[in-house]
Amino acid sequence: MARRNRNKYLGKRVRDTGLKGLDRPREYRDIMKAILDDARKGRIKRSTARGRLLLLYKLTYPEHNSKARSISSRTRERLRREIRRAMREV
């Protein structure tokens, strides 16, 4: 059975602003907060939350998400630090 939309958060629980896809720092932060919220409330396991945060971390690199080029390198590095901190928190 094919799935049409593979996004768990963007466009469903987190509003997609700007261009379609993950292209704004606020979207990264909102997805991170949603993942942490799901883990705290027991909707997902800690290991699942870490995996999702790791994927979000990976998507801050332009090699894995071409739209990340629109974000300055300094902001991308700041996002990576925030995501790593969240991974330790889970």
Side-chain angles (χ1 to χ4, degrees):
M1 181 155 117
R3 288 175 53 179
R4 290 176 46 166
N5 188 352
R6 298 185 65 102
N7 296 333
K8 297 267 185 213
Y9 295 97
L10 189 63
K12 292 181 182 175
R13 307 224 8 243
V14 173
R15 185 180 169 142
D16 190 7
T17 57
L19 299 174
K20 188 172 181 176
L22 196 56
D23 61 340
R24 302 266 172 113
R26 182 178 179 107
E27 293 172 343
Y28 283 93
R29 289 184 179 103
D30 288 346
I31 290 173
M32 182 178 58
K33 288 175 189 173
I35 292 170
L36 292 173
D37 187 46
D38 284 352
R40 283 188 202 110
K41 291 183 178 178
R43 290 188 194 129
I44 58 175
K45 293 188 272 183
R46 289 176 61 201
S47 59
T48 303
R50 281 198 184 117
R52 290 181 183 177
L53 287 169
L54 185 59
L55 175 60
L56 189 63
Y57 179 86
K58 190 175 180 180
L59 291 173
T60 61
Y61 288 97
E63 304 86 55
H64 301 289
N65 177 16
S66 61
K67 294 187 179 201
R69 284 187 179 90
S70 64
I71 303 170
S72 73
S73 61
R74 187 174 179 192
T75 303
R76 286 193 313 253
E77 190 57 43
R78 197 173 300 139
L79 283 170
R80 289 182 197 124
R81 260 187 266 123
E82 291 174 24
I83 294 170
R84 281 194 306 264
R85 193 175 308 126
M87 288 173 74
R88 283 190 297 264
E89 183 182 315
V90 172

